[in-house]
Amino acid sequence: MKNISFKDRLKYRFDSFVSQGTISMIKGLGVITIVVIVLFGASLLLLGLHPDHESNFNIFESFWVNLTHALDPGVLGNHDENWPFRLFMLLTTVIGLVIISTLIGLVSNGILTKLEVLRKGRSFVIERDHVLILGWSSKIFTIIPEIVEANENQKRGVIVILADMDKVLMEDEIKDKVGNTGNTVVICRTGNPIDVHDLKIANPFDTKSIIILDKENENSDSQIIKTIVAIVTDPKREKLRGPADVRPYHVTAEMEDKKNFDVAKMVGKDEVELILSDEIISKIMVQTSRQSGLSVVYQDLMDFDGDEIYFESAPALAGSTFRDVLFAYEDSAIMGIQFADGTVAINPPMETVFNEGDKVIGITEDDDTLIPNVDQQVDPHEAKIVYTEPEPQAPEKLLIVGWNNRARYIIQELDNYVPNGSEVIIVSKFPDAEKTVNALKSRVQNINISFQVKDTTGRETLESMGLENYDYIILLCYQNYFPIQEADAQTLITLLHLRNFTEIKGSKYKIVSEMLDIRNRQLADITSADDFIVSDKLISLLMSQVSENKDLMRVFEDLFDADGSEIYIKPAREYVQTGVTMNFYTILESAARKNEVAIGYRNIAKAKFADEQYGVVLNPKKSDEFELEENDMVIVLSED
């Protein structure tokens, strides 16, 4: 393996930091100084001039005298006699003053120029193994705290941000909205991420991972693709490291339109993980609309605060079935297996054999806690396990209030979950969505779609819509029509009306609402909606997780896919007796008999309390005793 030498790296970084023009002028002054000293030293001897107190004056002493007079004008006053020598030295001193003044001016100007460059954020980043964030959006204020949290067990972490913004403004916003970053240093640089020259400022060659943010404009996807091309095809990458020592990039990029996915993947290959933000949020909204509290589960899995998803080898379990693996961990909730070839299976068949080279995928506190630690046979409390047949599904009626680009994905995803003959009504303030709705009618099989133009914030309008006849209501923000705060305000008004109707009429429909700004999530809590989707926050959390471990993308793709195993929140009474004390092994055993994996439960009595995680408990310690009430829920991985 060919490694770039320390000398070459130092030279590369020094040349990037110091102006080449300044270096050339300093070199020129050095040459002139040497020529002047040599020439005047020789002339002094040829003319026979020397200080009176020197009787033996040789060439080396002549050079020294000329050098001291050139560098220090004060030496001139040390000679009391010998006027010819004084005059000659005066000439040397004058020339020395010119050289020294020029040198001081160059150094001073170079320092001022470099300080200005530093203020503008245009200097080269000399850090290594840093997380590089390209672009600037509101997501950055979620991503930075997550990376800081992930870096807590490191001595020093570094985040570098390259965006087309003033460096000082970026630093001020981060300080205001993020605050203390602990042992993680945040470095801001000003530059356009799609400009190849600007990109090199952030030193992408030595990164641990790279996150490319959505540009929040209509050409966002094409600009992200250009950034990916600039990163992975830069020939300087091989020049700095040598072709044999180029380590693969770990790039996580956000995209909006699925039609651009294949192009970006073709360019980035295995070095890039792409997150289709609109499609993923749409899938989460559909799943959440049918089971309250699911967004809290996803947020808990995606953030670094609490338990996260980790991969770990378990050679001691080689030869065991997946069912045995589930019960081998006391304080980790096993989700699936990553096979030796890198493929991932979430909730595989219980008889699947765990082989050497495979890894367990589990929810646990840290990467060093995912270890099998159950040495004896566990007691699943057989008498407390119940078995119930799933209830047959009847056609459903859903109402979508509001409209944005994600709506078309939501409608198509709903078609994968609802029974045949279900009905979806879309109501929006703006008529331009009707064309898209009509086009979707031919793409769905299980649902009938209709569209209405109405004032979705008007109380009389909402009251006349027969809301009590709907099973679910999904509220979408008018993201394409209003600024973020105004869009959230419109949603909040509609939420207040809908919840007031439930209090007056006793309606039982579920409400799932989208929010754009996480700060408005707390305001919306007063509406007592069943669930909220803060789209930017969830995508930010997902990007942070994938930037730390690219294999996690396979896990979430499986969870979001309607064809695989997903997360379901089901009534606890379908698994165990309620109102009695039990441990989590009991729930784990009951779920396993249904070919499901239990990963937690939800205490409905705490469903409205944010500081209690809205009642959601993921990865409980399996031997701890607790009690579930009639309305409590169990969180499982299941195919239906």
Side-chain angles (χ1 to χ4, degrees):
M1 300 289 284
K2 178 181 176 183
N3 293 315
I4 186 169
S5 67
F6 174 77
K7 178 181 178 182
D8 290 341
R9 180 174 292 280
L10 189 62
K11 182 179 184 300
Y12 172 76
R13 291 177 174 176
F14 180 76
D15 289 347
S16 301
F17 188 81
V18 181
S19 167
Q20 292 298 316
T22 302
I23 293 174
S24 299
M25 294 187 70
I26 291 175
K27 288 179 179 178
L29 283 173
V31 172
I32 292 173
T33 302
I34 293 173
V35 170
V36 168
I37 297 302
V38 171
L39 183 62
F40 278 51
S43 300
L44 195 63
L45 285 178
L46 291 175
L47 293 173
L49 300 175
H50 56 81
D52 289 340
H53 61 278
E54 294 284 352
S55 57
N56 185 18
F57 196 67
N58 55 38
I59 185 65
F60 298 107
E61 291 172 338
S62 180
F63 288 162
W64 177 253
V65 169
N66 278 276
L67 179 62
T68 56
H69 280 76
L71 296 178
D72 185 7
V75 179
L76 188 65
N78 293 338
H79 306 289
D80 298 330
E81 301 178 7
N82 197 342
W83 274 98
F85 180 78
R86 287 181 178 177
L87 294 174
F88 191 91
M89 289 297 101
L90 177 62
L91 179 61
T92 303
T93 301
V94 170
I95 294 175
L97 282 172
V98 173
I99 294 173
I100 295 300
S101 299
T102 305
L103 180 62
I104 292 173
L106 283 173
V107 172
S108 176
N109 183 68
I111 292 173
L112 291 174
T113 301
K114 186 50 60 180
L115 288 174
E116 182 65 20
V117 170
L118 290 172
R119 193 202 70 79
K120 291 181 178 179
R122 298 290 296 172
S123 60
F124 178 76
V125 174
I126 63 174
E127 300 288 346
R128 299 191 66 181
D129 294 323
H130 53 286
V131 177
L132 173 58
I133 301 175
L134 300 176
W136 185 271
S137 74
S138 58
K139 296 182 182 69
I140 210 163
F141 305 116
T142 300
I143 292 174
I144 291 177
E146 290 301 310
I147 297 175
V148 169
E149 186 82 23
N151 288 339
E152 274 195 344
N153 59 351
Q154 299 180 16
K155 186 176 181 181
R156 181 177 183 269
V158 179
I159 300 172
V160 177
I161 302 169
L162 178 70
D164 197 9
M165 280 184 63
D166 183 79
K167 173 181 180 290
V168 177
L169 290 178
M170 286 190 283
E171 290 173 342
D172 287 345
E173 276 205 65
I174 292 171
K175 184 178 180 181
D176 180 48
K177 296 181 180 179
V178 176
N180 182 27
T181 57
N183 61 334
T184 299
V185 179
V186 180
I187 300 171
C188 297
R189 291 291 182 265
T190 299
N192 190 343
I194 66 174
D195 186 297
V196 177
H197 180 268
D198 288 357
L199 195 59
K200 292 174 184 176
I201 294 173
N203 188 17
F205 314 108
D206 290 322
T207 55
K208 179 176 72 173
S209 66
I210 300 174
I211 298 174
I212 306 177
L213 296 180
D214 178 14
K215 310 298 180 184
E216 297 184 340
N217 59 50
E218 59 182 8
N219 298 318
S220 174
D221 283 1
S222 60
Q223 292 173 353
I224 288 174
I225 292 173
K226 183 179 178 183
T227 302
I228 294 172
V229 172
I231 293 172
V232 301
T233 62
D234 193 337
K236 200 165 188 179
R237 178 185 181 189
E238 292 190 1
K239 181 180 178 182
L240 286 176
R241 289 185 170 273
D245 198 34
V246 174
R247 63 179 178 181
Y249 283 123
H250 177 186
V251 181
T252 305
E254 175 190 6
M255 304 199 78
E256 291 185 350
D257 200 328
K258 193 172 184 178
K259 68 183 180 183
N260 297 316
F261 182 92
D262 292 337
V263 177
K265 198 64 180 174
M266 178 181 66
V267 173
K269 298 184 174 63
D270 293 336
E271 294 185 298
V272 176
E273 292 296 334
L274 298 174
I275 295 175
L276 291 168
S277 55
D278 283 353
E279 184 175 290
I280 287 175
I281 291 300
S282 301
K283 290 180 176 182
I284 294 175
M285 286 204 73
V286 170
Q287 292 182 18
T288 302
S289 69
R290 301 171 57 77
Q291 39 192 344
S292 174
L294 186 57
S295 71
V296 181
V297 177
Y298 275 127
Q299 182 169 316
D300 202 356
L301 290 177
M302 290 180 189
D303 65 25
F304 287 101
D305 185 15
D307 292 356
E308 301 100 46
I309 301 174
Y310 289 99
F311 298 68
E312 192 61 52
S313 301
L317 298 177
S320 303
T321 64
F322 179 64
R323 197 182 200 284
D324 294 332
V325 172
L326 291 178
F327 289 86
Y329 293 80
E330 162 70 13
D331 42 20
S332 298
I334 304 305
M335 300 177 66
I337 301 173
Q338 183 185 44
F339 298 109
D341 62 359
T343 58
V344 165
I346 300 301
N347 183 29
M350 291 294 158
E351 64 274 12
T352 302
V353 177
F354 183 84
N355 296 309
E356 189 173 349
D358 295 345
K359 293 183 177 180
V360 294
I361 305 171
I363 304 169
T364 190
E365 184 178 357
D366 211 339
D367 54 359
D368 58 357
T369 60
L370 188 56
I371 53 175
N373 53 0
V374 177
D375 299 326
Q376 58 186 8
Q377 189 71 25
V378 298
D379 179 15
H381 296 184
E382 180 70 30
K384 298 174 183 178
I385 296 175
V386 300
Y387 182 81
T388 57
E389 291 289 342
E391 296 180 2
Q393 287 186 300
E396 299 172 357
K397 190 173 183 179
L398 299 93
L399 175 64
I400 298 177
V401 180
W403 186 266
N404 58 42
N405 288 337
R406 283 185 279 276
R408 65 182 187 273
Y409 293 114
I410 290 174
I411 295 169
Q412 289 176 295
E413 192 66 18
L414 276 169
D415 193 51
N416 295 322
Y417 289 92
V418 298
N420 189 32
S422 297
E423 186 179 1
V424 175
I425 296 90
I426 300 103
V427 180
S428 173
K429 281 186 173 184
F430 304 95
D432 57 338
E434 187 170 10
K435 183 178 179 181
T436 303
V437 172
N438 291 333
L440 286 170
K441 291 180 179 179
S442 61
R443 300 179 189 176
V444 295
Q445 297 178 346
N446 295 325
I447 57 179
N448 300 312
I449 312 172
S450 61
F451 179 79
Q452 302 173 14
V453 179
K454 292 183 178 180
D455 180 11
T456 55
T457 56
R459 185 176 179 85
E460 295 79 8
T461 302
L462 292 170
E463 197 169 14
S464 66
M465 291 173 61
L467 299 174
E468 64 278 1
N469 298 319
Y470 293 96
D471 298 296
Y472 314 104
I473 298 178
I474 299 176
L475 259 63
L476 297 180
C477 291
Y478 289 109
Q479 187 175 2
N480 304 110
Y481 306 94
F482 299 109
I484 289 177
Q485 297 304 324
E486 177 61 23
D488 277 356
Q490 297 262 331
T491 304
L492 186 59
I493 292 171
T494 305
L495 264 175
L496 290 169
H497 287 318
L498 292 178
R499 186 50 69 196
N500 184 245
F501 295 154
T502 63
E503 293 172 355
I504 295 173
K505 300 180 180 181
S507 302
K508 299 297 183 183
Y509 51 77
K510 294 180 181 178
I511 303 174
V512 176
S513 176
E514 178 186 31
M515 282 285 166
L516 301 177
D517 192 328
I518 183 61
R519 292 170 294 184
N520 295 327
R521 168 68 172 86
Q522 296 173 343
L523 281 176
D525 275 340
I526 63 173
T527 64
S528 299
D530 295 286
D531 224 327
F532 290 95
I533 302 295
V534 185
S535 49
D536 275 6
K537 183 175 178 64
L538 284 176
I539 291 298
S540 303
L541 293 175
L542 180 58
M543 295 186 78
S544 302
Q545 287 280 348
V546 175
S547 73
E548 290 292 315
N549 183 357
K550 67 186 302 179
D551 291 332
L552 280 173
M553 196 62 209
R554 307 288 83 77
V555 174
F556 286 111
E557 284 174 347
D558 200 330
L559 292 176
F560 298 146
D561 191 349
D563 293 332
S565 288
E566 302 112 69
I567 300 175
Y568 286 92
I569 304 178
K570 300 184 178 183
R573 60 181 178 273
E574 295 181 5
Y575 294 84
V576 292
Q577 294 180 13
T578 57
V580 298
T581 302
M582 72 190 75
N583 58 35
F584 197 73
Y585 285 115
T586 309
I587 298 175
L588 193 64
E589 173 64 25
S590 180
R593 294 178 184 181
K594 298 182 179 183
N595 295 311
E596 299 175 347
V597 175
I599 59 174
Y601 60 88
R602 190 184 192 198
N603 187 333
I604 297 301
K606 301 177 181 179
K608 301 301 180 183
F609 302 106
D611 56 348
E612 295 281 354
Q613 281 292 93
Y614 301 98
V616 170
V617 179
L618 281 181
N619 184 32
K621 190 173 181 180
K622 296 183 179 65
S623 61
D624 286 351
E625 300 284 332
F626 62 96
E627 186 176 315
L628 293 179
E629 300 301 329
E630 178 69 16
N631 294 323
D632 289 343
M633 314 292 282
V634 171
I635 305 169
V636 297
L637 298 170
S638 175
E639 291 191 0
D640 54 45

